[in-house]
Amino acid sequence: MVETRDFFDLPAMQHKDNQGLAPHRATDPGWAHGTMVNGGRQKIKCKYCHKIFLGGGISRLKQHLAGERGNVAPCEEVPEDVKLEIQQHLDFKLSEKLKRQKGLKSNKNSSTPCFEGMEEEGDDGKAVRIQKPLSVLATSRRRGKKIVEGASNRTKKRKKQNLAAATPVVGLPLLQNFASRESIYEADMAVARFMYDAGLPFSAANSCFFQQMADAIAAVGPGYKMPSYQSLRSKLLNKVAQDAGVYSEELKRTWEVTGCSVLVDRWMDRTGRTVISFFVYCPKGTVFLKSVDASDITNSAEALLNLFESIVQEVGPKNIVNFVTDTLASYRTAGKLLMNKYKTFFCSTCGVQCIDIILEEIGRMDEVNEVLAKAKRITRFIYNNDRVLKLMKKKTGGRDILQVAVTRFTSIFLTLENILSLKDHLHRMFTGKAWIQSSFSKQRAGLEVAEIVTDALFWSFCDQTLKVTKPLLSVLHLMESEERPSVGDIYDAMVKANKSIIEAFDDKEFDLMPYLKVIDRIWQEEFHSPLHAAAYYLNPSVFYNPSFSSGKVIQKGLLDCIETLEPNLSAQVMITSHITFYEEAVGDFGRPVALRGRESLAPATWWSLYAVDCPELQRLAIRILSQTCSITRCRRNWSMFERIHLKKKNRLEHQRLNDLIFVHNNLHLQQRRAEAVKAKCSKGTLDPICLEAMNANIGDWVEDMGSLEGEDLSWMDVSVPSERTFFSQEVQNMDDSVDSTEDRSSNVTKEKLKKLEFYCSNPGE
């Protein structure tokens, strides 16, 4: 058996370097992350948030680092890898305690005459007999301590509560996995070999089903046989496809009440081949319908119109409220032709893409373009040199500079925002002793980057650029949120974004107007729809706000929606007559509970509760406020689409591939929906230098600038946040005494790719 101390010793070895900061001969790994105050074990200071604990000792500090609530507040600054290791340490100690209790419980039926029994709490919450030697009992009696069989009801109750509170911390698979350090390492290696051999992307580990699979296998126990190739492509695929179909049908039943938005997601590979994926959104969730190879028709509005019309017929024209298309000219034209043909729903472009177009045009302005070019030089230099990257990680507390988002220019300006937030850290990094002593500070690339980081004018232009882009990024975040439909908030969000930009420039028209012209032009030409104006008017949190103003655009938008979405003339009359009840907050609209719900409830929910006396207006408002204004994006697996859209194919195999794509997309959508409901996301963040991130949209911000002096490729030295490591070597931090002869540079991603290609080609090596 491997000793506990060895298993959890990873950063604990470092405490030996901090003489006087930890007790003499202390072996608890918690001391690596805290220091004694005034030489006392009970008064400890956290190394990350600097909080001082006046009692509880090292146990209280470990609870603080592990994020266990109750006795102490969780640490907000602790690195994820440290948090994980401390959690494992606490879980291991608890599992050992439970094992000891099980071992004692197994002695219940022992017939050894030299032991007497005493009852304690077992794993099932019932009293079990724990054996004690007679010699111990005799010694206790001689000391005058009274030992009785069993315990009082109050003691039993207290023990049961304590055990019940502690037991859920450790699940069954976790207890099994702590058998030994070697078994965990071998399990990790088995998973890694499978991933590399199958050619799966690293991001596959972010799937919520990844851990579910591991837990299910562990629950079966040793000897479980994985499903065969034939099972995966036949009965198991059919079963999962049926489950996805049930989920799809459940959502379809709500379309008649809330309406739905059809989403047209166009994407291309590097050869120019185009695939369109169709989704249908409603407040209950999003469902994938189908995908089509549109390479031959993507520039033809007439051909796209025929394709869109087939989707409308499949979903049902009466169910559709909004048809959201790509911003490409042919798609916008096809959308307008479709809307004019049916005249029962609206067609608009994707809001996220429109914001990205605005950001792209802002990025082309001379001053902004210069700022982005300099920021790109910083990221390229840092992310292509492992020693510099390690130093940056140390100075920023493990944070990354690059921020990977759903679109290219969103990623770029989020990265610029991150660079500005790390201004002081980067300045200290490029003016510190470690940098000055390194060979990089004497290279041309290093000198240029250091000059940028220490240039006050660069930071001033960064701040000015972000005065414009920050409010726009807030609008984009609103549209990407899955907490509630975004159409009711988008118009108000754009109005507030404009006001925020104007205030940030102190009404300096000369500096302000170029940005506002870009925003207004793209808003009017690319994005604005009567649906957005009507949703703005019908959103109670906006309408009843004292700052609300209803202009000509809003009134016309509302009337257009009434005429388009409610073709019955008598119903239109009822809606227009009842709208005054809403405006004046008459009847149920004016109930105290309705007043409180204006801000707290989703707009469509509010209307469903307080507009029962106005059924026609209620139905219209719910259908309008239940829509989205941006396109859902799923993981895009080009190899899968490539197989299904081959010109030569077998009919049965084609159906199987259709099922596979249907399952692939709908499982992903269900996962996202579940995460939104739980108000948390289980997906891990992408390493900015990993292949998926580089292929996403900002690979040019981390690509290699060319060979540098002293090149010695190495990527293993760059630690990835939150990654569990079982290697025994000690990870060394780069401090101010780093020897310049140790400086190395590397193209990190190329080296990772070489290692991966070698393994895939030589799996037995």
Side-chain angles (χ1 to χ4, degrees), residues 183-226:
S183 64
I184 300 175
Y185 176 75
E186 288 302 324
D188 284 351
M189 289 299 295
V191 173
R193 291 189 190 98
F194 166 73
M195 297 276 287
Y196 306 151
D197 178 65
L200 297 177
F202 298 131
S203 57
N206 293 330
S207 169
C208 72
F209 301 105
F210 190 59
Q211 185 59 45
Q212 289 181 22
M213 175 184 68
D215 292 342
I217 294 173
V220 174
Y224 170 73
K225 300 299 182 184
M226 299 292 280

Side-chain angles (χ1 to χ4, degrees), residues 94-334:
L94 180 57
S95 68
E96 287 296 299
K97 179 180 178 181
L98 294 176
K99 285 179 182 179
R100 287 196 299 270
Q101 291 178 343
K102 283 185 176 181
L104 292 171
K105 181 178 179 180
S106 66
N107 292 328
K108 177 179 179 181
N109 298 323
S110 175
S111 59
T112 306
C114 59
F115 281 144
E116 284 190 12
M118 180 173 149
E119 289 187 345
E120 286 281 350
E121 292 294 331
D123 292 341
D124 56 358
K126 298 179 181 179
V128 298
R129 187 172 298 278
I130 296 178
Q131 304 296 331
K132 278 198 173 186
L134 285 171
S135 58
V136 175
L137 296 176
T139 304
S140 299
R141 291 191 186 101
R142 284 197 299 269
R143 292 180 180 176
K145 293 184 178 179
K146 190 176 182 181
I147 298 180
V148 296
E149 185 83 15
S152 66
N153 292 334
R154 186 172 58 185
T155 304
K156 287 183 179 180
K157 183 177 180 180
R158 184 168 61 253
K159 289 180 180 179
K160 186 179 292 187
Q161 289 173 343
N162 292 340
L163 187 61
T167 301
V169 177
V170 186
L172 181 59
L174 188 59
L175 288 174
Q176 294 173 343
N177 284 343
F178 275 98
S180 71
R181 170 187 177 184
E182 286 80 3
S183 64
I184 300 175
Y185 176 75
E186 288 302 324
D188 284 351
M189 289 299 295
V191 173
R193 291 189 190 98
F194 166 73
M195 297 276 287
Y196 306 151
D197 178 65
L200 297 177
F202 298 131
S203 57
N206 293 330
S207 169
C208 72
F209 301 105
F210 190 59
Q211 185 59 45
Q212 289 181 22
M213 175 184 68
D215 292 342
I217 294 173
V220 174
Y224 170 73
K225 300 299 182 184
M226 299 292 280
S228 66
Y229 163 83
Q230 193 61 37
S231 295
L232 286 170
R233 69 193 299 267
S234 55
K235 62 180 182 181
L236 293 178
L237 177 59
N238 290 339
K239 180 63 174 70
V240 179
Q242 289 173 9
D243 293 342
V246 171
Y247 171 75
S248 175
E249 290 300 321
E250 180 184 342
L251 297 185
K252 288 180 180 179
R253 286 194 289 270
T254 68
W255 294 351
E256 186 178 352
V257 177
T258 64
C260 63
S261 298
V262 175
L263 313 178
V264 183
D265 183 22
R266 175 187 66 91
W267 54 290
M268 299 172 60
D269 72 346
R270 294 180 179 179
T271 65
R273 189 172 176 182
T274 302
V275 165
I276 300 177
S277 295
F278 292 96
F279 302 86
V280 181
Y281 169 91
C282 70
K284 288 288 185 182
T286 305
V287 63
F288 169 79
L289 281 186
K290 65 191 324 184
S291 68
V292 177
D293 184 354
S295 302
D296 298 332
I297 65 172
T298 192
N299 294 318
S300 170
E302 291 77 13
L304 288 172
L305 173 62
N306 293 331
L307 175 61
F308 292 170
E309 189 172 0
S310 68
I311 299 298
V312 170
Q313 291 300 321
E314 182 176 347
V315 176
K318 293 182 179 179
N319 295 326
I320 300 174
V321 175
N322 196 19
F323 197 96
V324 186
T325 70
D326 190 272
T327 54
L328 201 65
S330 57
Y331 287 71
R332 295 204 313 270
T333 302

Side-chain angles (χ1 to χ4, degrees), residues 30-43:
W31 287 112
H33 314 289
T35 58
M36 294 190 301
V37 179
N38 300 329
R41 283 176 174 264
Q42 295 302 310
K43 193 173 183 181

Side-chain angles (χ1 to χ4, degrees), residues 21-53:
L21 301 182
H24 182 56
R25 296 182 179 178
T27 59
D28 194 300
W31 287 112
H33 314 289
T35 58
M36 294 190 301
V37 179
N38 300 329
R41 283 176 174 264
Q42 295 302 310
K43 193 173 183 181
I44 303 175
K45 180 180 179 181
C46 175
K47 289 174 64 175
Y48 304 106
C49 66
H50 307 298
K51 180 180 178 65
I52 296 177
F53 302 95

Side-chain angles (χ1 to χ4, degrees), residues 5 8-23 26-35 47-48 79 81-82 85 390 394 719 727-735:
R5 185 175 63 189
F8 294 105
D9 213 20
L10 50 135
M13 295 178 289
Q14 299 172 0
H15 84 276
K16 297 178 181 178
D17 300 329
N18 302 325
Q19 296 295 331
L21 301 182
T27 59
D28 194 300
W31 287 112
H33 314 289
T35 58
K47 289 174 64 175
Y48 304 106
D81 56 338
V82 175
E85 294 300 334
K390 283 175 67 177
K394 179 190 174 185
S719 59
F727 297 101
S728 59
Q729 70 265 25
E730 181 177 357
V731 179
Q732 297 179 348
N733 286 327
M734 186 177 184
D735 55 25

